[in-house]
Amino acid sequence: MKYTKRKRAILLLADGTIFEGKSIGRDGTAYGEICYNTGMTGYQEIFTDPSYFGQLMLSTNAHIGNYGVNEDEIESESIKIAGLICKNFSFNYSRENAQDSLGNYFEKENIMAISDVDTRAVVRYIRDKGAMNAIISTETDIDALKEKLNAVPDMKGLELASEVSTKESYYFGNEKATFRISALDLGIKKNILRNLEKRGCFIKVFPYNASFEEMNSFNPDGFFLSNGPGDPEPLVEAQQLAKEIITRNLPLFGICLGHQVIALANGIATYKMHNGHRGINHPVKNTLSGKGEITSQNHGFVVNKAEVETHPDFEITHVHLNDDTLAGMRMKNKNCFSVQYHPEASPGPHDSSYLFDQFIENIKASKK
């Protein structure tokens, strides 16, 4: 596609600020909460991560699309971002095992994207002003776009897990595996399932609103609450599920949104961050071992650290070293732990993959 043939496009923020760009091909409009990811690689995993549903993704990396796409690198069955904002979009790719270009991938899935945006200026702006709704469009009527943008709901209070969760339960792995896991799909990533399978687990994945009775009917050795998009507070059914699992002292592991659900189930508050954590180089300290971890993160809500510190049943296991927010916790007298970040990180880093081993050890201890 010739650079000169691409249409003018704009990024309009909720406060009226406008940034100029060019469409990568598709005319139209896309909207959602704008967020930015600092990862230098792994864009296909980012675009297919259900936790990004309802968000416009801004990539801080200067080049997107240069290594194409591959079916093996998806985290769900479709692109989940609402749209893409980037600096340089590569219509050609150089990786030998790529199956297609990112441009064709977006066209097939009808995804709106704009490039040639001063992404450094946008990031600096929203870092100061905070996360907000935005719209990208090839339309030129600013007043009409503002009306559309005003109708976009705020992420605070928005339940989105139901939009990305499986509609029917399904199985993953070998039925003859050593352990059986019941997983609640709030927006689960494929690499979480792969990590569990690799450790000898046969998993049954349940819809976001599954009851304890439904999940326990699989006769699982452990329970897992997945990542996902949106505000955790409206997920009342998932909170009740977590409460039931904890009351029975069954092995429970939560990641990201699942981690927040566990907190809410125990009366610990969550809140929306000024800007979330999204990238693959976030430093975390394991407060139990004293070791540092470089982690993959993707969240706009976080658990209230002060409330965990004073809760009689919890202890903090991980903290984010950039802003001292809570990154992990465990219950003192129950077989339950959770982290805010992504130990299944694909393409990496893999510093935190030991958490899956910890879950298996917890299951073994429970079976004894």
Side-chain angles (χ1 to χ4, degrees):
M1 185 179 296
K2 295 292 185 182
Y3 179 90
T4 54
K5 291 184 178 179
R6 290 194 283 139
K7 281 189 176 180
R8 171 183 177 267
I10 65 165
L11 162 64
L12 171 65
L13 302 182
D15 66 0
T17 305
I18 295 174
F19 293 89
E20 298 277 344
K22 292 194 175 185
S23 166
I24 68 153
R26 180 196 153 199
D27 293 347
T29 298
Y31 48 80
E33 183 181 77
I34 188 170
C35 64
Y36 58 89
N37 187 294
T38 58
M40 296 289 288
T41 187
Y43 55 73
Q44 190 177 358
E45 291 90 341
I46 291 168
F47 300 157
T48 56
D49 180 352
S51 295
Y52 282 116
F53 184 83
Q55 293 182 299
L56 293 176
M57 167 56 58
L58 184 149
S59 174
T60 63
N61 188 27
H63 299 278
I64 290 296
N66 48 309
Y67 60 80
V69 295
N70 190 306
E71 183 68 22
D72 292 338
E73 292 160 7
I74 60 171
E75 289 292 351
S76 66
E77 299 305 323
S78 63
I79 295 176
K80 293 299 190 295
I81 60 170
L84 172 68
I85 305 153
C86 65
K87 177 62 177 174
N88 300 309
F89 190 94
S90 299
F91 292 93
N92 299 313
Y93 59 90
S94 57
R95 187 171 53 153
E96 287 187 2
N97 69 341
Q99 296 165 341
D100 204 348
S101 70
L102 184 60
N104 288 340
Y105 189 42
F106 273 20
E107 185 176 350
K108 288 174 185 175
E109 301 223 8
N110 200 29
I111 299 297
M112 176 72 185
I114 66 172
S115 67
D116 296 77
V117 178
D118 187 348
T119 51
R120 296 179 74 177
V122 180
V123 169
R124 287 172 66 91
Y125 189 83
I126 60 178
R127 279 184 66 183
D128 290 340
K129 302 294 183 180
M132 66 181 78
N133 286 337
I135 197 165
I136 56 176
S137 182
T138 53
E139 297 177 28
T140 56
D141 188 336
I142 300 300
D143 290 335
L145 290 175
K146 285 181 178 179
E147 283 189 26
K148 289 181 180 180
L149 187 52
N150 289 336
V152 178
D154 289 334
M155 192 64 73
K156 174 66 178 171
L158 197 58
E159 186 278 297
L160 293 176
S162 60
E163 299 286 341
V164 297
S165 177
T166 182
K167 305 304 179 189
E168 302 288 339
S169 298
Y170 65 92
Y171 299 95
F172 191 95
N174 188 334
E175 190 174 358
K176 297 180 180 179
T178 307
F179 307 106
R180 295 164 70 90
I181 305 296
S182 285
L184 188 71
D185 178 11
L186 302 174
I188 199 164
K189 294 170 66 179
K190 285 183 178 292
N191 209 42
I192 289 174
L193 299 175
R194 296 186 199 109
N195 269 276
L196 291 171
E197 180 189 28
K198 187 166 65 174
R199 288 164 174 82
C201 296
F202 178 50
I203 308 110
K204 186 172 183 179
V205 183
F206 292 83
Y208 79 103
N209 57 352
S211 67
F212 173 78
E213 289 72 25
E214 289 173 304
M215 294 185 71
N216 199 45
S217 66
F218 183 55
N219 194 27
D221 299 301
F223 292 81
F224 176 79
L225 304 184
S226 85
N227 62 293
D231 191 335
E233 283 193 18
L235 295 172
V236 177
E237 291 164 308
Q239 294 166 36
Q240 185 57 45
L241 168 69
K243 193 176 297 184
E244 188 71 30
I245 297 169
I246 292 167
T247 298
R248 295 169 184 259
N249 198 25
L250 301 171
L252 177 60
F253 179 25
I255 287 177
C256 200
L257 187 60
H259 158 79
Q260 297 162 9
V261 165
I262 288 171
L264 290 166
N266 287 275
I268 299 169
T270 59
Y271 62 90
K272 193 174 189 306
M273 305 174 75
H274 181 71
N275 269 304
H277 294 151
R278 297 178 181 89
I280 57 175
N281 61 345
H282 286 256
V284 162
K285 180 180 178 180
N286 184 321
T287 59
L288 304 179
S289 68
K291 293 181 178 179
E293 303 169 23
I294 302 302
T295 68
S296 175
Q297 304 210 6
N298 170 20
H299 59 99
F301 292 82
V302 72
V303 174
N304 189 308
K305 182 169 175 274
E307 292 188 18
V308 178
E309 287 174 325
T310 57
H311 198 290
D313 299 329
F314 278 84
E315 64 178 334
I316 293 172
T317 58
H318 301 80
V319 292
H320 196 296
L321 291 177
N322 284 351
D323 58 9
D324 200 39
T325 52
L326 181 75
M329 62 187 185
R330 71 178 182 184
M331 297 193 73
K332 296 176 182 177
N333 300 312
K334 299 289 184 180
N335 199 340
C336 171
F337 75 106
S338 60
V339 291
Q340 182 62 75
Y341 53 99
H342 288 267
E344 84 292 343
S346 179
H350 304 298
D351 298 23
S352 306
S353 60
Y354 70 89
L355 291 164
F356 289 103
D357 299 320
Q358 183 178 317
F359 183 39
I360 300 302
E361 290 305 313
N362 286 358
I363 289 172
K364 289 178 180 177
S366 176
K367 289 171 77 73
K368 289 180 182 178

